[in-house]
Amino acid sequence: MLQTVWVSSPGSWALQGSNSHRRGKKRCWKCRFVRTIIQHPCRRHAPKRSRRERMLRKIQICLCFCFVSGLLYEISLLSSSVFSYLPVAQHYLTPEQVLNLGKSIIFLETTERLEPPPLVSCSVESAARIYQDRPIILFMRGLTNETALDMNTSYAAFSLLSSMKNVFIFPLQMETIFQETPLLQWYNQVVPEQEKNWVHVSSDASRLALIWKYGGIYMDTDVISIRPIPQRSFLAAQKSRFSSNGIFGFPARHKFVWDCMENFVLKYNGNIWGNQGPFLMTRMLKTLCNLTDFQGTEDHSCQNISFLNPQRFYPIPYPAWGRYYQVWDKSPSFNHSYALHLWNFMNHNRKVVEAGSNTLAEKLYKTYCPTTYEDLIQNAKHRDLPSPEDIE
């Protein structure tokens, strides 16, 4: 039987012994090793066993070796991406277990709503399809406990997203997220009810803390993924010399993200929209290098950070955001883009994707989030069905 044995004597892994035992040094080291693992006495001091006993002992050791090898193999699978393929409602994984893989795609919902609209669902689904080997996490402020979501919930979007094997939905608990970061003191002092842009400011802070602690990629919930992002440390240019914070990626504990959190607190002004968001990223990037205009579709590099061309995520700039909801004679190919930001913040009239409208956004839904699009069609059919009162 295997037993755990602690070896407390100093230098127990060193080959030590008196001169009179030099010839037996190698053999005694083997004895100490075996004795440490299975508490079996050194063979030269043990009574001679029968052939059957020796055979049983060998079989016992082989079985134990196979068991340990199998266990190590399972652990190696977990480190690669097993978590990303486990359904949330069945396995009750914690956020830390998933985030500790270090390559998550993170979305945030900092309002209290519990029914993600189709654009949020499309953003999460498209990421889940493009990054099938990575966990896709949606943190929601409206969730108040650590329990896994019920797939039979009355919220249709929960069922839709939870059915995707690498999608996880967790409560957004800011006080926990801000632990061990410069943002905790700010969070303990700020009064959300008095903040003009709290939904946006709290989101700006949360994304920095999550990426600093665990690494990965943050995306806004109006970003539709169309192909994988090859860079690991990157910021997205919204235009020349100006960085967005709607999508960015870094390894865990990256110094740039820590510096951004410190500047967030130092220069905090919640009354200015974007001061803790894109303006923060831009001013911190400018401390590292001189920003120049983009020429063509090339990317820039700032020390160890890739500053990606506006074509990568913003081929349609914010003044023209409405073009996503228009019919095009010929749809753009977006060959130079990794994802598309649909500028939902600008969508004050609440334009939506309608089945059969043939808009650019509808075509994107069909291609990159077909499950969300199918759900959209089904909902439209239900709305068009006559009510019992109409039949009468």
Side-chain angles (χ1 to χ4, degrees):
M1 177 180 292
L2 291 181
Q3 298 182 17
T4 303
V5 178
W6 293 97
V7 181
S8 58
S9 58
S12 60
W13 290 105
L15 297 179
Q16 299 175 350
S18 64
N19 292 335
S20 62
H21 292 87
R22 287 187 183 275
R23 287 181 298 178
K25 188 183 299 182
K26 184 175 181 181
R27 188 174 180 183
C28 288
W29 177 84
K30 291 182 179 179
C31 291
R32 287 199 302 275
F33 178 78
V34 174
R35 185 165 58 250
T36 301
I37 302 299
I38 62 173
Q39 287 191 324
H40 183 65
C42 186
R43 179 166 301 193
R44 67 180 184 178
H45 297 300
K48 189 172 182 180
R49 296 178 179 271
S50 67
R51 182 176 180 181
R52 182 179 178 183
E53 287 177 325
R54 291 198 302 272
M55 182 63 69
L56 288 174
R57 175 61 65 182
K58 289 180 180 179
I59 293 173
Q60 211 174 24
I61 294 173
C62 288
L63 289 174
C64 290
F65 176 78
C66 292
F67 172 77
V68 172
S69 299
L71 184 62
L72 292 175
Y73 176 71
E74 292 294 330
I75 293 173
S76 70
L77 287 180
L78 287 178
S79 65
S80 59
S81 63
V82 162
F83 285 142
S84 64
Y85 290 96
L86 296 176
V88 173
Q90 295 179 8
H91 290 268
Y92 300 93
L93 297 172
T94 66
E96 288 74 19
Q97 286 175 311
V98 181
L99 286 164
N100 279 332
L101 296 175
K103 57 178 192 172
S104 301
I105 311 294
I106 298 172
F107 295 89
L108 295 174
E109 176 58 75
T110 51
T111 70
E112 295 291 335
R113 65 185 176 188
L114 286 173
E115 176 64 355
L119 181 53
V120 174
S121 177
C122 183
S123 297
V124 176
E125 179 187 347
S126 65
R129 291 179 180 275
I130 296 299
Y131 303 93
Q132 296 185 25
D133 62 334
R134 303 177 73 160
I136 313 299
I137 307 176
L138 172 61
F139 285 98
M140 300 190 70
R141 180 66 174 167
L143 295 180
T144 57
N145 55 61
E146 294 286 351
T147 59
L149 294 171
D150 184 356
M151 286 186 180
N152 296 319
T153 177
S154 58
Y155 295 111
F158 281 171
S159 297
L160 187 155
L161 295 176
S162 296
S163 66
M164 301 175 191
K165 293 183 179 180
N166 59 333
V167 172
F168 300 82
I169 305 176
F170 293 121
L172 177 61
Q173 299 178 328
M174 294 185 191
E175 186 171 358
T176 301
I177 290 172
F178 296 146
Q179 293 293 329
E180 301 176 359
T181 76
L183 297 169
L184 182 61
Q185 182 179 1
W186 160 80
Y187 180 73
N188 289 334
Q189 294 175 349
V190 73
V191 181
E193 294 77 15
Q194 298 177 3
E195 291 292 320
K196 180 181 177 181
N197 299 299
W198 178 247
V199 169
H200 302 288
V201 168
S202 59
S203 178
D204 292 336
S206 298
R207 68 189 71 176
L208 288 171
L210 285 166
I211 294 300
W212 182 79
K213 280 188 171 184
Y214 303 104
I217 296 175
Y218 167 81
M219 293 184 184
D220 277 349
T221 52
D222 57 350
V223 172
I224 298 178
S225 298
I226 62 177
R227 58 178 56 89
I229 302 168
Q231 289 84 358
R232 193 178 178 202
S233 299
F234 72 89
L235 293 172
Q238 183 175 313
K239 59 182 180 180
S240 285
R241 309 187 189 202
F242 190 80
S243 177
S244 161
N245 76 329
I247 179 168
F248 61 93
F250 287 95
R253 301 301 199 268
H254 197 283
K255 184 179 184 300
F256 178 81
V257 184
W258 180 269
D259 291 342
C260 284
M261 290 190 292
E262 288 188 328
N263 191 270
F264 183 107
V265 178
L266 182 65
K267 301 287 186 178
Y268 182 73
N269 187 338
N271 293 322
I272 302 176
W273 186 91
N275 187 62
Q276 271 58 56
F279 291 106
L280 166 65
M281 292 294 200
T282 302
R283 64 177 176 260
M284 294 306 296
L285 191 60
K286 286 181 177 179
T287 64
L288 299 181
C289 58
N290 294 322
L291 303 182
T292 58
D293 291 337
F294 287 93
Q295 304 295 329
T297 58
E298 90 287 358
D299 299 319
H300 289 174
S301 180
C302 185
Q303 295 191 20
N304 65 340
I305 301 171
S306 297
F307 191 38
L308 302 185
N309 193 287
Q311 289 293 316
R312 304 302 181 211
F313 308 103
Y314 304 100
I316 296 179
Y318 77 89
W321 69 271
R323 300 198 68 189
Y324 280 113
Y325 297 93
Q326 295 175 358
V327 178
W328 292 52
D329 293 334
K330 183 180 179 181
S331 298
S333 62
F334 299 118
N335 288 334
H336 300 292
S337 302
Y338 301 135
L340 303 173
H341 192 285
L342 269 61
W343 302 105
N344 195 52
F345 178 72
M346 305 292 294
N347 190 2
H348 302 300
N349 295 327
R350 295 294 177 256
K351 293 180 182 291
V352 296
V353 172
E354 297 180 359
S357 62
N358 204 33
T359 61
L360 177 57
E362 184 192 16
K363 292 181 179 180
L364 294 174
Y365 274 46
K366 285 182 178 179
T367 304
Y368 301 107
C369 55
T371 305
T372 297
Y373 182 71
E374 183 64 27
D375 186 65
L376 201 69
I377 294 174
Q378 294 299 324
N379 290 337
K381 287 180 179 178
H382 289 316
R383 287 195 301 268
D384 294 338
L385 288 176
S387 64
E389 292 80 4
D390 295 333
I391 295 175
E392 294 175 359

